[in-house]
Amino acid sequence: MSRLLDERLPAGGGDRGLTVHAHGRPSPTEKAVSIADANSEIIEVGISLRSLASLFVSRPERDFTEPVRRLLSRGVDITYVVADPESVLFGEYSRRIGDPRLPQRASDSARRLTEIARAFESEGHPRALTVRFTRHLPTAYISTWTPDPRRAAVALPPTCRAYGGPTRPCSTFHAALSPSCSSATRPVCGPP
């Protein structure tokens, strides 16, 4: 793994390399500020993204909905990837952590995010917010975005209850993309 990091995230050279910022889960405003510089794509991956969905409905629009609207108008694609609450793996995860209501809450969250995506679509933005399901089970919440064509940022707040819950600090990584990357949206990429 160290060799892979050395090859794909060269150290030194100003804005090249890997920078880690550790802090707690960002507030809605901090989250909006952190993704505001995305230039082409944002991808959020989580088990159900319930906290993310709540930012759209429980906060004033200026805190999160409006910044997301500005990103879509600027041409930034936003994709939310959630675990399929109907999958066998999700059901097993729910049983393992002792939360039999989790599949229903996850389904409600996915429905809410889909409604939000449709509302943004009806506004006619040049790019879209999409919600996708995976039959895999994300073991952490991951947020990625591209601040510019040469860099990618990844936030990894510790939210997976199977591994002790959100008690450790959030880590945000900023990585310079290797010239061999074919797309700015691939934070780790190999030789051409």
PDB file of all heavy atoms in Angstrom, residues 125-146:
ATOM      1  N   HIS A 125     -31.354  22.729 -13.879  1.00  0.00           N
ATOM      2  CA  HIS A 125     -29.908  22.966 -13.772  1.00  0.00           C
ATOM      3  C   HIS A 125     -29.162  22.209 -14.869  1.00  0.00           C
ATOM      4  O   HIS A 125     -29.622  21.156 -15.331  1.00  0.00           O
ATOM      5  CB  HIS A 125     -29.398  22.519 -12.404  1.00  0.00           C
ATOM      6  CG  HIS A 125     -30.033  23.270 -11.281  1.00  0.00           C
ATOM      7  ND1 HIS A 125     -29.753  24.583 -11.005  1.00  0.00           N
ATOM      8  CD2 HIS A 125     -30.971  22.893 -10.377  1.00  0.00           C
ATOM      9  CE1 HIS A 125     -30.471  24.981  -9.976  1.00  0.00           C
ATOM     10  NE2 HIS A 125     -31.222  23.973  -9.573  1.00  0.00           N
ATOM     11  N   PRO A 126     -27.975  22.699 -15.262  1.00  0.00           N
ATOM     12  CA  PRO A 126     -27.216  22.009 -16.310  1.00  0.00           C
ATOM     13  C   PRO A 126     -26.686  20.635 -15.877  1.00  0.00           C
ATOM     14  O   PRO A 126     -26.409  19.784 -16.707  1.00  0.00           O
ATOM     15  CB  PRO A 126     -26.059  22.958 -16.631  1.00  0.00           C
ATOM     16  CG  PRO A 126     -25.992  23.931 -15.515  1.00  0.00           C
ATOM     17  CD  PRO A 126     -27.350  23.944 -14.857  1.00  0.00           C
ATOM     18  N   ARG A 127     -26.534  20.397 -14.590  1.00  0.00           N
ATOM     19  CA  ARG A 127     -26.064  19.099 -14.088  1.00  0.00           C
ATOM     20  C   ARG A 127     -27.100  18.561 -13.110  1.00  0.00           C
ATOM     21  O   ARG A 127     -28.024  19.268 -12.717  1.00  0.00           O
ATOM     22  CB  ARG A 127     -24.693  19.212 -13.416  1.00  0.00           C
ATOM     23  CG  ARG A 127     -23.599  19.781 -14.286  1.00  0.00           C
ATOM     24  CD  ARG A 127     -23.529  19.208 -15.672  1.00  0.00           C
ATOM     25  NE  ARG A 127     -23.119  17.818 -15.679  1.00  0.00           N
ATOM     26  CZ  ARG A 127     -23.003  17.107 -16.774  1.00  0.00           C
ATOM     27  NH1 ARG A 127     -23.271  17.636 -17.942  1.00  0.00           N
ATOM     28  NH2 ARG A 127     -22.627  15.871 -16.727  1.00  0.00           N
ATOM     29  N   ALA A 128     -26.905  17.311 -12.692  1.00  0.00           N
ATOM     30  CA  ALA A 128     -27.939  16.649 -11.892  1.00  0.00           C
ATOM     31  C   ALA A 128     -27.407  16.117 -10.573  1.00  0.00           C
ATOM     32  O   ALA A 128     -26.219  15.852 -10.417  1.00  0.00           O
ATOM     33  CB  ALA A 128     -28.525  15.485 -12.691  1.00  0.00           C
ATOM     34  N   LEU A 129     -28.344  15.944  -9.659  1.00  0.00           N
ATOM     35  CA  LEU A 129     -28.099  15.220  -8.425  1.00  0.00           C
ATOM     36  C   LEU A 129     -28.763  13.859  -8.634  1.00  0.00           C
ATOM     37  O   LEU A 129     -29.945  13.795  -8.967  1.00  0.00           O
ATOM     38  CB  LEU A 129     -28.733  15.956  -7.249  1.00  0.00           C
ATOM     39  CG  LEU A 129     -28.442  15.396  -5.855  1.00  0.00           C
ATOM     40  CD1 LEU A 129     -28.528  16.518  -4.831  1.00  0.00           C
ATOM     41  CD2 LEU A 129     -29.356  14.278  -5.472  1.00  0.00           C
ATOM     42  N   THR A 130     -27.997  12.785  -8.486  1.00  0.00           N
ATOM     43  CA  THR A 130     -28.559  11.448  -8.668  1.00  0.00           C
ATOM     44  C   THR A 130     -28.345  10.614  -7.406  1.00  0.00           C
ATOM     45  O   THR A 130     -27.394  10.839  -6.657  1.00  0.00           O
ATOM     46  CB  THR A 130     -27.935  10.704  -9.866  1.00  0.00           C
ATOM     47  OG1 THR A 130     -26.515  10.689  -9.713  1.00  0.00           O
ATOM     48  CG2 THR A 130     -28.273  11.354 -11.174  1.00  0.00           C
ATOM     49  N   VAL A 131     -29.241   9.670  -7.194  1.00  0.00           N
ATOM     50  CA  VAL A 131     -29.154   8.749  -6.069  1.00  0.00           C
ATOM     51  C   VAL A 131     -29.005   7.350  -6.646  1.00  0.00           C
ATOM     52  O   VAL A 131     -29.798   6.941  -7.498  1.00  0.00           O
ATOM     53  CB  VAL A 131     -30.416   8.826  -5.177  1.00  0.00           C
ATOM     54  CG1 VAL A 131     -30.306   7.852  -4.010  1.00  0.00           C
ATOM     55  CG2 VAL A 131     -30.639  10.249  -4.684  1.00  0.00           C
ATOM     56  N   ARG A 132     -27.988   6.638  -6.204  1.00  0.00           N
ATOM     57  CA  ARG A 132     -27.733   5.279  -6.686  1.00  0.00           C
ATOM     58  C   ARG A 132     -27.671   4.327  -5.502  1.00  0.00           C
ATOM     59  O   ARG A 132     -27.256   4.697  -4.413  1.00  0.00           O
ATOM     60  CB  ARG A 132     -26.421   5.221  -7.453  1.00  0.00           C
ATOM     61  CG  ARG A 132     -26.416   6.127  -8.659  1.00  0.00           C
ATOM     62  CD  ARG A 132     -25.249   5.813  -9.560  1.00  0.00           C
ATOM     63  NE  ARG A 132     -25.206   6.687 -10.688  1.00  0.00           N
ATOM     64  CZ  ARG A 132     -25.849   6.490 -11.823  1.00  0.00           C
ATOM     65  NH1 ARG A 132     -26.599   5.431 -11.963  1.00  0.00           N
ATOM     66  NH2 ARG A 132     -25.746   7.344 -12.819  1.00  0.00           N
ATOM     67  N   PHE A 133     -28.098   3.083  -5.756  1.00  0.00           N
ATOM     68  CA  PHE A 133     -28.050   2.035  -4.736  1.00  0.00           C
ATOM     69  C   PHE A 133     -26.912   1.075  -5.040  1.00  0.00           C
ATOM     70  O   PHE A 133     -26.609   0.816  -6.198  1.00  0.00           O
ATOM     71  CB  PHE A 133     -29.364   1.240  -4.707  1.00  0.00           C
ATOM     72  CG  PHE A 133     -30.514   2.040  -4.204  1.00  0.00           C
ATOM     73  CD1 PHE A 133     -31.310   2.759  -5.074  1.00  0.00           C
ATOM     74  CD2 PHE A 133     -30.801   2.090  -2.853  1.00  0.00           C
ATOM     75  CE1 PHE A 133     -32.375   3.513  -4.609  1.00  0.00           C
ATOM     76  CE2 PHE A 133     -31.870   2.824  -2.379  1.00  0.00           C
ATOM     77  CZ  PHE A 133     -32.649   3.543  -3.258  1.00  0.00           C
ATOM     78  N   THR A 134     -26.304   0.567  -3.974  1.00  0.00           N
ATOM     79  CA  THR A 134     -25.294  -0.461  -4.129  1.00  0.00           C
ATOM     80  C   THR A 134     -25.674  -1.639  -3.241  1.00  0.00           C
ATOM     81  O   THR A 134     -26.214  -1.451  -2.149  1.00  0.00           O
ATOM     82  CB  THR A 134     -23.879   0.052  -3.764  1.00  0.00           C
ATOM     83  OG1 THR A 134     -22.951  -1.028  -3.871  1.00  0.00           O
ATOM     84  CG2 THR A 134     -23.809   0.616  -2.358  1.00  0.00           C
ATOM     85  N   ARG A 135     -25.423  -2.837  -3.729  1.00  0.00           N
ATOM     86  CA  ARG A 135     -25.690  -4.026  -2.907  1.00  0.00           C
ATOM     87  C   ARG A 135     -24.521  -4.298  -1.966  1.00  0.00           C
ATOM     88  O   ARG A 135     -24.589  -5.171  -1.124  1.00  0.00           O
ATOM     89  CB  ARG A 135     -25.974  -5.232  -3.797  1.00  0.00           C
ATOM     90  CG  ARG A 135     -27.297  -5.062  -4.529  1.00  0.00           C
ATOM     91  CD  ARG A 135     -28.017  -6.388  -4.634  1.00  0.00           C
ATOM     92  NE  ARG A 135     -29.315  -6.201  -5.257  1.00  0.00           N
ATOM     93  CZ  ARG A 135     -30.450  -6.177  -4.580  1.00  0.00           C
ATOM     94  NH1 ARG A 135     -30.446  -6.321  -3.289  1.00  0.00           N
ATOM     95  NH2 ARG A 135     -31.585  -6.015  -5.202  1.00  0.00           N
ATOM     96  N   HIS A 136     -23.453  -3.504  -2.111  1.00  0.00           N
ATOM     97  CA  HIS A 136     -22.334  -3.579  -1.167  1.00  0.00           C
ATOM     98  C   HIS A 136     -22.695  -2.758   0.057  1.00  0.00           C
ATOM     99  O   HIS A 136     -23.586  -1.915   0.009  1.00  0.00           O
ATOM    100  CB  HIS A 136     -21.050  -3.043  -1.802  1.00  0.00           C
ATOM    101  CG  HIS A 136     -20.625  -3.828  -2.986  1.00  0.00           C
ATOM    102  ND1 HIS A 136     -19.923  -5.002  -2.896  1.00  0.00           N
ATOM    103  CD2 HIS A 136     -20.835  -3.624  -4.302  1.00  0.00           C
ATOM    104  CE1 HIS A 136     -19.708  -5.478  -4.100  1.00  0.00           C
ATOM    105  NE2 HIS A 136     -20.251  -4.662  -4.975  1.00  0.00           N
ATOM    106  N   LEU A 137     -21.997  -2.963   1.133  1.00  0.00           N
ATOM    107  CA  LEU A 137     -22.274  -2.219   2.351  1.00  0.00           C
ATOM    108  C   LEU A 137     -21.092  -1.299   2.645  1.00  0.00           C
ATOM    109  O   LEU A 137     -20.027  -1.767   3.037  1.00  0.00           O
ATOM    110  CB  LEU A 137     -22.505  -3.182   3.520  1.00  0.00           C
ATOM    111  CG  LEU A 137     -22.976  -2.547   4.805  1.00  0.00           C
ATOM    112  CD1 LEU A 137     -24.384  -1.972   4.635  1.00  0.00           C
ATOM    113  CD2 LEU A 137     -22.965  -3.551   5.923  1.00  0.00           C
ATOM    114  N   PRO A 138     -21.256  -0.005   2.425  1.00  0.00           N
ATOM    115  CA  PRO A 138     -20.154   0.911   2.747  1.00  0.00           C
ATOM    116  C   PRO A 138     -19.837   0.810   4.237  1.00  0.00           C
ATOM    117  O   PRO A 138     -20.744   0.796   5.064  1.00  0.00           O
ATOM    118  CB  PRO A 138     -20.715   2.287   2.411  1.00  0.00           C
ATOM    119  CG  PRO A 138     -21.860   2.030   1.487  1.00  0.00           C
ATOM    120  CD  PRO A 138     -22.412   0.700   1.884  1.00  0.00           C
ATOM    121  N   THR A 139     -18.567   0.724   4.579  1.00  0.00           N
ATOM    122  CA  THR A 139     -18.194   0.598   5.990  1.00  0.00           C
ATOM    123  C   THR A 139     -17.838   1.944   6.599  1.00  0.00           C
ATOM    124  O   THR A 139     -17.398   2.011   7.729  1.00  0.00           O
ATOM    125  CB  THR A 139     -17.012  -0.382   6.165  1.00  0.00           C
ATOM    126  OG1 THR A 139     -15.935   0.063   5.352  1.00  0.00           O
ATOM    127  CG2 THR A 139     -17.429  -1.787   5.779  1.00  0.00           C
ATOM    128  N   ALA A 140     -18.018   2.997   5.834  1.00  0.00           N
ATOM    129  CA  ALA A 140     -17.780   4.351   6.337  1.00  0.00           C
ATOM    130  C   ALA A 140     -18.512   5.322   5.428  1.00  0.00           C
ATOM    131  O   ALA A 140     -18.893   4.977   4.316  1.00  0.00           O
ATOM    132  CB  ALA A 140     -16.289   4.658   6.340  1.00  0.00           C
ATOM    133  N   TYR A 141     -18.671   6.525   5.907  1.00  0.00           N
ATOM    134  CA  TYR A 141     -19.198   7.598   5.074  1.00  0.00           C
ATOM    135  C   TYR A 141     -18.009   8.214   4.335  1.00  0.00           C
ATOM    136  O   TYR A 141     -16.978   8.505   4.941  1.00  0.00           O
ATOM    137  CB  TYR A 141     -19.881   8.645   5.948  1.00  0.00           C
ATOM    138  CG  TYR A 141     -20.152   9.937   5.225  1.00  0.00           C
ATOM    139  CD1 TYR A 141     -21.189  10.018   4.303  1.00  0.00           C
ATOM    140  CD2 TYR A 141     -19.365  11.052   5.435  1.00  0.00           C
ATOM    141  CE1 TYR A 141     -21.445  11.189   3.622  1.00  0.00           C
ATOM    142  CE2 TYR A 141     -19.614  12.228   4.769  1.00  0.00           C
ATOM    143  CZ  TYR A 141     -20.647  12.291   3.858  1.00  0.00           C
ATOM    144  OH  TYR A 141     -20.884  13.453   3.185  1.00  0.00           O
ATOM    145  N   ILE A 142     -18.135   8.384   3.048  1.00  0.00           N
ATOM    146  CA  ILE A 142     -17.058   8.965   2.250  1.00  0.00           C
ATOM    147  C   ILE A 142     -17.649  10.069   1.387  1.00  0.00           C
ATOM    148  O   ILE A 142     -18.679   9.883   0.742  1.00  0.00           O
ATOM    149  CB  ILE A 142     -16.399   7.908   1.342  1.00  0.00           C
ATOM    150  CG1 ILE A 142     -15.839   6.766   2.178  1.00  0.00           C
ATOM    151  CG2 ILE A 142     -15.308   8.542   0.478  1.00  0.00           C
ATOM    152  CD1 ILE A 142     -15.421   5.562   1.355  1.00  0.00           C
ATOM    153  N   SER A 143     -16.991  11.205   1.378  1.00  0.00           N
ATOM    154  CA  SER A 143     -17.399  12.330   0.544  1.00  0.00           C
ATOM    155  C   SER A 143     -16.206  12.718  -0.316  1.00  0.00           C
ATOM    156  O   SER A 143     -15.129  12.993   0.219  1.00  0.00           O
ATOM    157  CB  SER A 143     -17.816  13.504   1.438  1.00  0.00           C
ATOM    158  OG  SER A 143     -18.151  14.626   0.661  1.00  0.00           O
ATOM    159  N   THR A 144     -16.374  12.719  -1.633  1.00  0.00           N
ATOM    160  CA  THR A 144     -15.279  13.113  -2.527  1.00  0.00           C
ATOM    161  C   THR A 144     -15.738  14.250  -3.415  1.00  0.00           C
ATOM    162  O   THR A 144     -16.901  14.327  -3.791  1.00  0.00           O
ATOM    163  CB  THR A 144     -14.813  11.943  -3.423  1.00  0.00           C
ATOM    164  OG1 THR A 144     -15.867  11.597  -4.320  1.00  0.00           O
ATOM    165  CG2 THR A 144     -14.419  10.734  -2.617  1.00  0.00           C
ATOM    166  N   TRP A 145     -14.820  15.136  -3.738  1.00  0.00           N
ATOM    167  CA  TRP A 145     -15.113  16.215  -4.664  1.00  0.00           C
ATOM    168  C   TRP A 145     -13.821  16.660  -5.332  1.00  0.00           C
ATOM    169  O   TRP A 145     -12.737  16.349  -4.864  1.00  0.00           O
ATOM    170  CB  TRP A 145     -15.830  17.371  -3.978  1.00  0.00           C
ATOM    171  CG  TRP A 145     -15.058  18.091  -2.913  1.00  0.00           C
ATOM    172  CD1 TRP A 145     -14.357  19.246  -3.038  1.00  0.00           C
ATOM    173  CD2 TRP A 145     -14.905  17.685  -1.542  1.00  0.00           C
ATOM    174  NE1 TRP A 145     -13.790  19.589  -1.844  1.00  0.00           N
ATOM    175  CE2 TRP A 145     -14.104  18.653  -0.911  1.00  0.00           C
ATOM    176  CE3 TRP A 145     -15.366  16.604  -0.797  1.00  0.00           C
ATOM    177  CZ2 TRP A 145     -13.757  18.569   0.437  1.00  0.00           C
ATOM    178  CZ3 TRP A 145     -15.014  16.522   0.532  1.00  0.00           C
ATOM    179  CH2 TRP A 145     -14.226  17.500   1.136  1.00  0.00           C
ATOM    180  N   THR A 146     -13.958  17.360  -6.442  1.00  0.00           N
ATOM    181  CA  THR A 146     -12.804  17.813  -7.208  1.00  0.00           C
ATOM    182  C   THR A 146     -12.708  19.337  -7.126  1.00  0.00           C
ATOM    183  O   THR A 146     -13.439  20.032  -7.814  1.00  0.00           O
ATOM    184  CB  THR A 146     -12.929  17.392  -8.685  1.00  0.00           C
ATOM    185  OG1 THR A 146     -14.201  17.823  -9.166  1.00  0.00           O
ATOM    186  CG2 THR A 146     -12.804  15.895  -8.851  1.00  0.00           C
TER     187      THR A 146
END
